[in-house]
Structures are given as C-alpha cells and as structure tokens.
Amino acid sequence: MSNYIQYLQQCQVTKNLSCIKKLHALLLTNGTLFALHDLHTQLIATYTSCLPNNNNLQTLTNSFFKCINSTNPLHFNLLISHFCRKGFPFHALASFSFMHTNGVSLDTYALCTTLTASSKLKDFNFGKQIHAHVRKSGWFSSVFVGSALIDYYSKLLNVEDAALVFDEIPDKNTVCANALLSGYCEAGLWIKGVELVRKMPLLKLKYDHFTLSAALRACTGLSSVEMGRQLHSYLLRTMPDIESDVFLQSALVEMYGKCGMVEKAQLVFKLDGMEIRNERSRDVVLWTSMLGVYGKNGRYKEVIDLYSEMLQEGIKPDGIVFLTVISACGHTGQVHAGVKYFESMTNDFKLNPGPEHYSCLVDLLCRAGELHKAWELLNETHYNDIGNCSVSMWGALLSACVESGNIELAKLAAQRALDLDPQNGGICVMLSNLYAQFGMWDEIGRLRVLIKQRGLRKDVGCSWLQVKS
C-alpha cells in the first residue's frame, strides 16, 4: 500500500491525471480499492488536486461514494478537510451529507470543518441544519463546535444568532468570545464589541492578542480615544512581545490616527520609549497603517517621505500603499510624481492597477486642472482591459468640472455616471449646483423633474464625537 501512496503523491506533485486514472483502473480491477479505505481517500484527494473541472470532480466523487463501505469517520474527515482547503466547499458538504445518511458517526472535526465549508458557500440553511443537529445530539458541550457555530454565524453577519450560541455554550473560552467579537466588528456593531470585551473578565475569560486587536478596532470605529488609551496601557503592562505583533501595532496606529492623534501614532509606529526585547517586526501591514494615518489627517508630505523610507527598508508596497501615495500627490499638486508612482506599480512592482487606482489618478489630474487629460484617461482603450469606469471616477471628473465651471465636460461626465448608476442622486445635485452658478434655471428645472421621476435622494452624512464630562 505504501508504494501506491507514494505513487499518488508523486502524481499529485506532477499533476499527471493520466497516471492517476491508470492506477485507479488497476485498483478497481484487482479489488484493492474496496479493501483499503486509506488508499481510497488518498485517491480522491489526488484527483481533487489535479482535476481542472469542478463538474468532473462532482461526478467522480459521487461514483467514489457508491463503492466505499467504511464506517470510520476518519476517512471522511480527511475528505471534508481536503475539499475545504482546496476550494471545493460544496463537495465538503456532500461528503458530510453522505456520512450522515449512511450512519457514519459525526465527530467534532466533521462538524467544525463542515461549518467552515458552509460559511464559504454562504449556505445559511445547511448551517442551520447542523446547528439543529448539534443542539439535539448534545454537541454544545464541545467548546470547539460552539466556537465553529459562532464563527459560522459571524461570517454570515448573523450576529444575533452568533450571540445566542455564545450564551448557550456551557463552558466558554476566549476563542468563543473572539469569534463573536469578530462578528460584531465585521457588522460594525462597535458598541456591542466593547460591551463584550468588558464582559469577558466577569466570565473569567482572558484577553489574547486577537481580543485586544479587535477591541482596538472597535475603539477606532467609535473614535473612542479614552478606551483606546486604556487598552494601550493594558498592552504595555501585560504583553511583553508587542514589538513582534504587527497587527496589534497596526490597530494602535489606526486607533490614534482615527482620533487625530498623529504624533501618538508615530510613537507607536517607531515604538519610541519602549523597551524592545525581541526582534522588531514591521511588515507592509504596519507601514500601510501609518501611511493611511498621515493621508487621512492631511499630512501629505509625510506620506511621500514615509514611502521613500519604506522602500529603503526593503518593504515591497502593495496596492493600498500606492492608493495612499498617489492620493497624497493629488493633494500636494505633484501631478508628474503621481503619474510616476502609478506607472511604477506595473513597471517596478508588477502590480496590476485596479479601478480604485485609476479613480485616484483621475482625481489627481482633476485637482491639477487637467480635466481633458482626465477625460482622455477615462476613455482610452487601455483602460478597457481592466473593466468599465466606475461611478466614482466620473464623479471626480464632474466635481472638478463644477469647481472650474466647465459645463460641457460636466454634462458628459454626469451622463456617463448616470448611465452606470441611474439612481445616484449625488450626481444630479452636483450638476444642479453647476447650473446654478451660471443661472441656467431651465436646466435646473429639467433636472428636478428627472430627480422626481426617479425618486432620487442624496445620502445624509454622519460622524462620531466623544463627549467628555
């Protein structure tokens, strides 16, 4: 059997589907496939890695299940795990269903992995059925299954059910709390997240690195600098290796930056005043966070300087870094530098610009008054290779036309934006403001009729403030 396993592993490395099929035929002919279930499982896993077509895999999996007579959950657990890791969550659910239908016992591993597959498929009904089975069969006594259920509901942004599961688990641990906390943060329920963090000591649950990162994220969402400072103090007292955790450092940097405390964010970024016991870790995540703080607080010169420092340290920038840097060039009027950074993405770092990068470049040209160049950029055939222009790009051009009083170009930009999003009331409002500048009341009247016919409304903005007594 070991020879067969080694052969399959070699086929998996070389992606040699023909050799796999030949071995499959041999195993069927001599009956070995029906007797050795471990080999059966390995053969399915090898096909998973080599088959190019998902439909072929489904047909093959069904035929395999028809001739497997094992009642050992280990064989099926390996399949469920393999399907889930290789990007075939539907087949993971099919394997789980086969187990349940054929009386193979379901254990913790099968339940947890299948819940992960369900969350990847966004399959609410299947997850609900597993939840019902867990409740009836008493698996709530397993903290692992409970955590997997909370994580499943959280990833589907069904935080109410996630919270109910958390309350039902008899023996909770920090992993359960973190799963629920992650759900609150993903749903933007910052206050709920803060309440859970405060509740954890009462439940005798300890904070770990993930808990503190998520708590800082909630403070950022609420712009709550006071609680953020308390968490920072707690970190300094209890976490001796904060210099090795870039996610905690990034969360601190972003929290202070959101609250306008740029200098404090700088101190965290540089770890000034701290005793560094281990090797300092500063990857692209941390650099991106600091660049974002500078950009959002109008410190555009610092963005360019920090980017240069980042390159000197050998950190390879990603797409988010270039967005921040090109935007900074737009605010400082450095058109040529912004175009140079844009070209550097593909030429130097082999990154493909996305719609957001083109939108940023359009905004850069518009701020510099290069409206016709922005128009040409949006219409050139090169851009068609990555997809259609977004509403935000035409909106940026329209906004610049309003500021400069370019009526003809504004009409064209507004029409293109409304073609993409006919229900965008903000575009009509900007165009109406331009008409008002020049006393074009007939045009404004026609716009008002259009707005009324389509029932358009402009979204109302909002902001957070923390009031101290």
Side-chain angles (χ1 to χ4, degrees):
M1 175 177 167
S2 60
N3 292 333
Y4 289 141
I5 296 291
Q6 290 176 4
Y7 183 81
L8 285 172
Q9 289 173 345
Q10 185 62 33
C11 291
Q12 193 166 340
V13 172
T14 59
K15 308 292 183 184
N16 193 329
L17 191 59
S18 176
C19 290
I20 300 171
K21 288 182 176 180
K22 289 177 181 177
L23 178 61
H24 187 184
L26 173 65
L27 295 174
L28 282 172
T29 303
N30 60 24
T32 306
L33 188 63
F34 302 96
L36 300 176
H37 297 298
D38 290 338
L39 184 59
H40 203 143
T41 304
Q42 181 63 43
L43 184 60
I44 299 176
T46 307
Y47 269 119
T48 306
S49 302
C50 301
L51 276 175
N53 190 296
N54 193 29
N55 293 329
N56 290 341
L57 179 61
Q58 184 172 350
T59 304
L60 184 69
T61 304
N62 291 337
S63 65
F64 267 118
F65 283 151
K66 289 177 182 177
C67 61
I68 192 171
N69 58 1
S70 173
T71 57
N72 186 347
L74 176 61
H75 301 130
F76 295 96
N77 290 348
L78 290 172
L79 287 177
I80 294 171
S81 175
H82 189 80
F83 285 141
C84 197
R85 284 187 288 106
K86 292 295 181 178
F88 299 103
F90 175 80
H91 300 292
L93 301 191
S95 303
F96 180 86
S97 297
F98 183 86
M99 287 178 70
H100 187 54
T101 304
N102 289 273
V104 181
S105 60
L106 305 175
D107 57 12
T108 304
Y109 192 90
L111 292 166
C112 293
T113 311
T114 306
L115 283 168
T116 301
S118 298
S119 66
K120 289 182 178 180
L121 281 173
K122 307 295 182 186
D123 192 327
F124 186 75
N125 290 329
F126 202 98
K128 274 284 190 182
Q129 292 174 30
I130 296 177
H131 187 176
H133 175 80
V134 167
R135 182 178 278 111
K136 288 188 295 184
S137 58
W139 275 111
F140 262 125
S141 59
S142 168
V143 71
F144 302 105
V145 175
S147 298
L149 269 172
I150 295 171
D151 183 67
Y152 162 76
Y153 282 123
S154 296
K155 286 178 178 174
L156 269 62
L157 297 183
N158 188 350
V159 288
E160 291 184 2
D161 281 345
L164 289 174
V165 173
F166 180 78
D167 292 336
E168 286 182 48
I169 298 175
D171 296 317
K172 302 175 179 62
N173 65 4
T174 301
V175 176
C176 299
N178 286 346
L180 180 57
L181 184 56
S182 176
Y184 283 142
C185 290
E186 287 300 318
L189 299 174
W190 313 118
I191 294 177
K192 289 281 190 181
V194 170
E195 289 174 351
L196 177 61
V197 172
R198 288 175 171 163
K199 183 182 177 182
M200 285 176 66
L202 301 177
L203 298 172
K204 298 181 180 179
L205 303 178
K206 294 182 179 180
Y207 300 149
D208 60 11
H209 286 233
F210 183 91
T211 311
L212 295 168
S213 294
L216 285 167
R217 186 181 171 193
C219 293
T220 303
L222 292 169
S223 297
S224 177
V225 70
E226 289 303 317
M227 184 175 179
R229 279 173 164 170
Q230 293 173 24
L231 287 168
H232 190 181
S233 299
Y234 179 85
L235 279 171
L236 295 176
R237 292 196 312 269
T238 61
M239 298 286 177
D241 59 343
I242 187 175
E243 65 272 10
S244 61
D245 192 326
V246 292
F247 296 103
L248 270 179
Q249 295 174 61
S250 298
L252 276 171
V253 167
E254 290 172 8
M255 185 273 296
Y256 282 121
K258 176 69 180 298
C259 298
M261 303 178 70
V262 180
E263 285 71 21
K264 192 70 175 176
Q266 283 177 325
L267 292 176
V268 175
F269 178 73
K270 297 176 181 177
L271 289 185
D272 283 354
M274 282 189 58
E275 180 185 352
I276 300 178
R277 303 174 180 86
N278 302 314
E279 183 180 354
R280 178 76 197 274
S281 177
R282 290 203 301 182
D283 66 358
V284 68
V285 174
L286 185 56
W287 287 88
T288 303
S289 296
M290 193 65 229
L291 284 166
V293 168
Y294 282 141
K296 291 170 184 174
N297 285 276
R299 307 279 279 268
Y300 303 115
K301 183 181 181 301
E302 283 91 334
V303 170
I304 307 300
D305 293 341
L306 188 63
Y307 175 72
S308 300
E309 184 182 338
M310 177 182 176
L311 294 183
Q312 289 172 7
E313 287 212 9
I315 305 295
K316 182 182 177 181
D318 58 12
I320 300 175
V321 169
F322 279 106
L323 270 179
T324 308
V325 173
I326 296 170
S327 177
C329 291
H331 285 88
T332 54
Q334 301 180 60
V335 180
H336 295 297
V339 173
K340 183 190 74 173
Y341 289 129
F342 181 84
E343 293 173 346
S344 175
M345 284 185 67
T346 52
N347 297 337
D348 300 329
F349 299 101
K350 310 305 178 187
L351 297 171
N352 294 322
E356 63 278 8
H357 297 98
Y358 279 89
S359 182
C360 200
L361 187 60
V362 168
D363 183 67
L364 167 75
L365 295 170
C366 289
R367 286 178 181 275
E370 302 283 357
L371 303 185
H372 288 283
K373 284 186 179 180
W375 171 260
E376 291 171 3
L377 175 68
L378 290 174
N379 286 282
E380 68 181 3
T381 55
H382 169 71
Y383 180 69
N384 292 332
D385 294 337
I386 69 163
N388 295 323
C389 299
S390 67
V391 176
S392 63
M393 298 182 197
W394 295 112
L397 179 57
L398 174 59
S399 178
C401 291
V402 171
E403 291 181 10
S404 63
N406 192 324
I407 298 174
E408 295 305 317
L409 202 54
K411 285 182 177 180
L412 293 172
Q415 186 58 54
R416 294 289 180 87
L418 290 174
D419 287 343
L420 292 173
D421 184 5
Q423 299 301 313
N424 194 316
I427 296 295
C428 295
V429 170
M430 281 197 287
L431 193 58
S432 177
N433 291 339
L434 177 61
Y435 289 152
Q437 289 180 24
F438 293 91
M440 302 171 67
W441 309 117
D442 291 340
E443 295 288 349
I444 291 176
R446 281 191 282 271
L447 259 182
R448 285 178 176 170
V449 172
L450 176 66
I451 291 172
K452 187 174 182 180
Q453 286 176 344
R454 296 185 179 181
L456 305 182
R457 293 181 62 188
K458 189 175 184 297
D459 292 336
V460 179
C462 65
S463 61
W464 285 97
L465 284 175
Q466 183 178 28
V467 180
K468 294 193 295 184
S469 57

